[in-house]
Amino acid sequence: MTAQPKPPAPSPLQGLRVLDLATLFAGPLAATMLGDFGAEVIKVEHPTRPDPSRGHGPDKDGVGLWWKLLGRNKRTVTLDLSTPGGRTTLLRLATTADVIIENFRPGTLEKWQLGWDELSSANPRVVLTRVTGFGQFGPYSHRPGFGTLAEAMSGFASITGEPDGPPTLPPFGLADSIAALATSYAVMTALAARTATGRGQVVDMAIIEPILTVLGPQPLWFDQLGYVQTRTGNRSRNNAPRNTYRTADGSWLAVSTSAQSIAERVMHLVGRPDLIDEPWFGTGSGRAEHGDVLDEAVGGWIARRSRAEAMAAFEKAEAAIAPIYDVRDVMDDPQYQALDTITEVPDPELGPLRMQNVLFRLSETPGAIRWAGRPHGADTDAVLTELGLSRADIAALRTQGAL
């Protein structure tokens, strides 16, 4: 008898409804992450002022490509929350939602009578997730806040760059992306609590905070030792050799020796086993203090070899090395291809698109990209009809400017 194919596993977040009211970038990206694993995400945009990510960065045929990534797995509706009809419709949507994600300045939803009191009254089980630059209270809470400010204020920029150069900001949304990861985790934590209590709650996510966590124990170092980390370029104050090195054929390679055994293997490989016997070599911090000596040994060895030769030798020695990639290399790398890290998504507007896949693999209930970002307001009528509004109701909201 022929074995019957197994039915597809349900998505782990199937049945979860998320209203994404946020823009640029932490809140919407958190909603994207939830949608990737089966949550029904309804993206709510202003009727005449779409999410700015639709116009960020390069476009193709007038269609913003960043939105195709950020808007994937989301249904799109338009709603002006500042109008009476928009307020009433959002409260009606809130009764069907598990999570609402917003990033208006503190007090804005309250001004529209859509704050926690009104939303929780409409749906006591809803989780209201508020993502702002500085949080919901404190002296900076009403300032406009973006990831760049978090990268500056967290201390990230102060330790990034060459020792004699200026503080350096990342050329991408680092703090927003870290906050998005933290927000999706916070949402799932609040939902787990709801299972026990039966009640929703408010998630207050300040973009200036999660990036501090990934910067490591800097506050602890300062508190206990008065130590302030400074810029070291590509070097580390915790171990060496750790740097980027240029090959004979003009490529760049990154070497890491966080483990003592790896550092020793590298010294044998580059022909300087004598350095292992130095008293300072036995600790990462000791090696970091002698970074010039180690960089000369490793950099000189790599400079006499092609990228392929150096990579092969390091791999044979079981030492840690990686090429410095640009996006062209990422797209062609066999490891990324094996993992399907960059996957193809069909799109009715632009045809096949290649973009980052879901964040992780689950063996039994995997995530999936069901569609790329949809046109502005494409699902407004369908979502409101499912909510019970008639054609006449929807037409009236349009007449009022609420849609």
Side-chain angles (χ1 to χ4, degrees):
M1 176 181 284
T2 304
Q4 295 296 314
K6 291 176 63 176
S11 299
L13 301 184
Q14 185 174 318
L16 194 73
R17 174 172 269 199
V18 178
L19 304 183
D20 175 9
L21 315 183
T23 59
L24 294 179
F25 280 100
L29 183 55
T32 302
M33 293 172 183
L34 299 173
D36 284 350
F37 286 89
E40 180 196 6
V41 180
I42 298 175
K43 175 70 177 180
V44 179
E45 299 175 81
H46 191 277
T48 60
R49 298 191 298 275
D51 189 312
S53 68
R54 291 181 180 273
H56 260 57
D59 66 81
K60 181 181 179 183
D61 300 333
V63 179
L65 296 176
W66 203 328
W67 167 252
K68 288 295 179 183
L69 175 68
L70 192 64
R72 72 190 193 190
N73 292 335
K74 299 180 183 181
R75 304 171 77 190
T76 61
V77 306
T78 59
L79 204 58
D80 184 346
L81 305 183
S82 68
T83 65
R87 174 186 181 276
T88 301
T89 305
L90 184 74
L91 286 174
R92 192 163 174 174
L93 273 171
T95 65
T96 71
D98 298 282
V99 179
I100 299 173
I101 300 177
E102 64 97 3
N103 72 336
F104 300 104
R105 287 198 211 180
T108 301
L109 283 185
E110 285 74 11
K111 179 179 66 176
W112 296 334
Q113 297 181 342
L114 287 171
W116 173 241
D117 290 344
E118 290 85 2
L119 292 171
S120 62
S121 178
N123 181 359
R125 291 175 56 81
V126 76
V127 172
L128 176 60
T129 307
R130 317 193 79 164
V131 185
T132 57
F134 301 103
Q136 294 296 307
F137 57 91
Y140 303 161
S141 60
H142 285 82
R143 291 182 182 178
F146 297 98
T148 297
L149 308 188
E151 290 145 11
M153 291 178 61
S154 64
F156 171 85
S158 74
I159 64 169
T160 305
E162 294 299 323
D164 57 351
T168 303
L169 294 166
F172 63 98
L174 176 65
D176 275 295
S177 299
I178 295 170
L181 288 163
T183 300
S184 60
Y185 168 51
V187 165
M188 297 311 298
T189 302
L191 291 173
R194 188 182 72 174
T195 301
T197 67
R199 300 188 306 275
Q201 59 183 298
V202 176
V203 172
D204 179 3
M205 177 62 64
I207 297 173
I208 60 172
E209 291 185 301
I211 191 171
L212 277 170
T213 296
V214 304
L215 284 171
Q218 291 188 51
L220 181 60
W221 286 340
F222 179 76
D223 175 63
Q224 296 297 302
L225 303 171
Y227 174 75
V228 178
Q229 187 172 342
T230 55
R231 290 188 290 285
T232 57
N234 291 319
R235 287 184 176 179
S236 167
R237 292 199 181 277
N238 304 314
N239 63 81
R242 193 265 197 182
N243 213 325
T244 58
Y245 307 96
R246 194 167 191 175
T247 65
D249 55 358
S251 295
W252 288 89
L253 300 175
V255 172
S256 175
T257 57
S258 296
Q260 179 71 21
S261 59
I262 298 293
E264 293 177 5
R265 289 174 199 165
V266 171
M267 290 303 103
H268 281 290
L269 174 63
V270 303
R272 292 299 309 272
D274 56 297
L275 294 175
I276 298 172
D277 297 326
E278 294 288 345
W280 47 262
F281 195 88
T283 65
S285 58
R287 295 196 307 275
E289 290 175 1
H290 294 80
D292 288 343
V293 174
L294 297 173
D295 276 348
E296 183 180 355
V298 176
W301 185 90
I302 288 176
R304 297 190 296 273
R305 289 160 177 82
S306 69
R307 182 172 103 169
E309 291 170 335
M311 289 283 297
F314 265 74
E315 289 176 16
K316 184 177 180 180
E318 297 184 358
I321 194 168
I324 304 294
Y325 277 175
D326 64 21
V327 69
R328 294 168 293 188
D329 302 305
V330 170
M331 302 295 266
D332 291 336
D333 182 85
Q335 180 63 32
Y336 282 133
Q337 290 175 356
L339 296 174
D340 196 29
T341 305
I342 306 297
T343 197
E344 187 170 281
V345 180
D347 182 69
E349 286 188 286
L350 299 178
L353 306 172
R354 286 194 292 168
M355 64 176 65
Q356 299 94 317
N357 209 337
V358 300
L359 274 174
F360 48 85
R361 285 162 289 280
L362 297 179
S363 63
E364 298 299 322
T365 55
I369 303 171
R370 300 182 298 282
W371 60 82
R374 288 172 55 71
H376 181 230
D379 303 291
T380 301
D381 285 25
V383 169
L384 297 187
T385 298
E386 292 165 10
L387 198 59
L389 276 69
S390 67
R391 289 185 180 180
D393 294 331
I394 295 170
L397 288 170
R398 281 206 168 90
T399 301
Q400 298 165 18
L403 302 184

